[in-house]
Amino acid sequence: MKVGFLQLRPKFGSVRENVRAAKSLLKDVSEATIVLPELFNTGYLFRAQDELMELSEPVTSGYTVGEMKKIAKRQTLNLIFGIAEKKSRKFYNTAVLVTSKGKLYTYQKTHLFDREKLFFSPGEKSYAVHEVDGVKIGMMVCFDWCFPEVTRVLALKGAEIICHPANLIMPYCLDAMRTRSIENRVFSITANRIGTEKRANMSLTFTGNSQVVDPSGNVLTSAGERSESLKIVEIDIEEAKNKAITTNNHLFKDRKVSLYKPLVRKYVG
Amino acid sequence: MKVGFLQLRPKFGSVRENVRAAKSLLKDVSEATIVLPELFNTGYLFRAQDELMELSEPVTSGYTVGEMKKIAKRQTLNLIFGIAEKKSRKFYNTAVLVTSKGKLYTYQKTHLFDREKLFFSPGEKSYAVHEVDGVKIGMMVCFDWCFPEVTRVLALKGAEIICHPANLIMPYCLDAMRTRSIENRVFSITANRIGTEKRANMSLTFTGNSQVVDPSGNVLTSAGERSESLKIVEIDIEEAKNKAITTNNHLFKDRKVSLYKPLVRKYVG
């Protein structure tokens, strides 16, 4: 199967322009699963919640998801992308999966980064795996990389490909995603953004270097940090079904769950 | 405080020679916490359990631990090192911590790698943190790196330094240990071995590159892959007490334990 990412340079606040840019870069692709960055349609650096009120959209009836569904259907694509979601007076940093057959799934980011906490609500739904064209897809968003629990739960639930829309600003995140692939023997696709956003007295530079990683931790393809970039590779999903890291080691059967109990205890620090 | 590692090239089966070599390389050091490799006194490639019967030792009365206790006391060192432990007719791949004040703690490797399963029993005791000179030390051994649960549990229990005796053969393990340090904001010290062991029709080459990593993932010092090497650095343990990765993010308070429940369920694959 063909999988890949579309690394973008979103312009803050220009939803229609950003969606058109993605549409244009995707125009020659078909029959693939493609991941786009977090908040690819709005940009990242919200200054206040009224901006979010204006730029966010409901998943089922919003402009961005509507356009992406049309592209997915017309070009036989499965698309995973990040948007600002508006839902019952709350806002979520949401990853959306639209399939070529018209199905729609969402994941609302659970681990919010820094100032996102000022505007977004954290997702509360459990990590879910979605079977699309016979392949099991799990979603996580950006800073979730720092919590090994997320990828682990998704992998234990059967995820074979981790789709990871991101707006990364720290250089080591992509190395950590290689670790996530290795320790779970899953494919991971991190779609990062590029560019610098300056708003009021804030400035962030995003690190690009989007990548597709195989279950052995090999980077199958990656982008640079300066250009918008579409990269697609052929993968054999069977590799992710094999959890044997040696003839005597099965990554999941070897887990010592009785010793892991402290992982699910509430923190009292 | 001063911490470091002693990277060694153990000779299979030559326990006294290996211990003497370590003693000799340590002779000018004092007032430091030093990690040595896994099974540093016996070598790694056991062919059968009778070899283990011959080369292993009880922790409390064995030759190796006795010698290491003397060095620790005489030179005011805390030493963490791996041995083959013999205990009630079972054998464990054990990390031992001997302190300058004569205390002794052990960790019996829980995640056995490949053929180790043929000879060793897995440890069943929970991951423990030991306070030594006011600093909280956690131990893990080699292949435990592949299970993020181990470092996470130790860090949640308060470990500030993860001491990691190893006999690594896969190149990406040391990168994964950087991820472990970052995701838990702990120091990690991986003491790896070097050299090739050939026994019967088996051959393994160990990758060296021992390292000390700080809570931000910086490699403070590291060794090559060809030489025995003692490296010591000064660290500020306060860095590991600060779990804030941004002003709004506390690595442990941000964990969504209610979503992590699948981590402690028995695997039924």
Side-chain angles (χ1 to χ4, degrees), chain A residues 62-75:
Chain A
Y63 169 78
T64 305
V65 178
E67 289 299 298
M68 299 300 273
K69 282 177 82 166
K70 281 188 241 170
I71 300 168
K73 187 174 179 189
R74 190 170 54 232
Q75 298 171 220

Side-chain angles (χ1 to χ4, degrees), chain B residues 57-58 85-92 106 108 125:
Chain B
E57 59 181 73
E85 180 187 359
K86 186 185 303 187
K87 187 177 182 178
S88 350
R89 292 193 201 172
K90 284 188 175 176
F91 303 101
Y92 298 96
T106 61
Q108 298 165 331
K125 286 189 295 184

Side-chain angles (χ1 to χ4, degrees), chain B residues 117-132:
Chain B
K117 290 188 176 186
L118 308 182
F119 311 124
F120 290 102
S121 296
E124 303 290 351
K125 286 189 295 184
S126 61
Y127 306 107
V129 173
H130 311 290
E131 190 160 333
V132 180

Side-chain angles (χ1 to χ4, degrees), chain A residues 230-244:
Chain A
L230 173 70
K231 299 261 188 168
I232 294 171
V233 286
E234 182 76 30
I235 62 167
D236 177 5
I237 201 67
E238 292 300 314
E239 289 178 35
K241 296 186 206 291
N242 174 11
K243 302 301 179 188

Side-chain angles (χ1 to χ4, degrees), chain A residues 6 8 15-16 18-24 26 34-37 40-41 57 59 62-83 96-104:
Chain A
L6 177 56
L8 292 166
V15 172
R16 283 169 192 253
N18 291 331
V19 173
R20 272 198 301 271
K23 187 174 169 178
S24 167
L26 286 170
I34 312 278
V35 185
L36 283 74
F40 93 96
N41 61 339
E57 59 181 71
V59 166
Y63 169 78
T64 305
V65 178
E67 289 299 298
M68 299 300 273
K69 282 177 82 166
K70 281 188 241 170
I71 300 168
K73 187 174 179 189
R74 190 170 54 232
Q75 298 171 220
T76 317
L77 295 173
N78 302 310
L79 297 171
I80 297 94
F81 52 93
I83 64 163
V96 181
L97 161 58
V98 297
T99 77
S100 62
K101 301 195 176 75
K103 295 256 191 180
L104 187 151

Side-chain angles (χ1 to χ4, degrees), chain B residues 41-54:
Chain B
N41 61 338
T42 58
Y44 184 78
L45 264 181
F46 291 92
R47 280 189 296 195
Q49 208 165 37
D50 57 356
E51 286 185 336
L52 199 46
M53 178 75 83
E54 188 188 319

Side-chain angles (χ1 to χ4, degrees), chain A residues 111 114 180 183 249 254, chain B residues 114 117 180 183 249 260:
Chain A
H111 300 93
D114 207 357
R180 298 288 169 257
E183 69 202 11
N249 291 103
D254 280 358
Chain B
D114 208 356
K117 290 188 176 186
R180 299 288 170 254
E183 70 201 10
N249 290 102
Y260 301 163

Side-chain angles (χ1 to χ4, degrees), chain A residues 110-114 117 147-149 152 179-180 183 246 248-249 251 254-256 260 263 265, chain B residues 110-114 117 147-149 152 179-180 183 246 248-249 251 254-257 260 263:
Chain A
T110 48
H111 300 93
L112 296 172
F113 184 71
D114 207 357
K117 290 190 176 185
F147 299 83
E149 293 87 352
R152 186 65 116 197
T179 301
R180 298 288 169 257
E183 69 202 11
T246 72
N248 291 304
N249 291 103
L251 278 184
D254 280 358
R255 295 177 72 246
K256 304 287 182 185
Y260 301 164
L263 297 178
R265 281 183 208 136
Chain B
T110 48
H111 301 93
L112 296 172
F113 184 71
D114 208 356
K117 290 188 176 186
F147 299 83
E149 293 87 352
R152 186 65 118 198
T179 301
R180 299 288 170 254
E183 70 201 10
T246 73
N248 293 304
N249 290 102
L251 278 184
D254 279 0
R255 296 177 72 246
K256 303 288 183 186
V257 292
Y260 301 163
L263 297 178

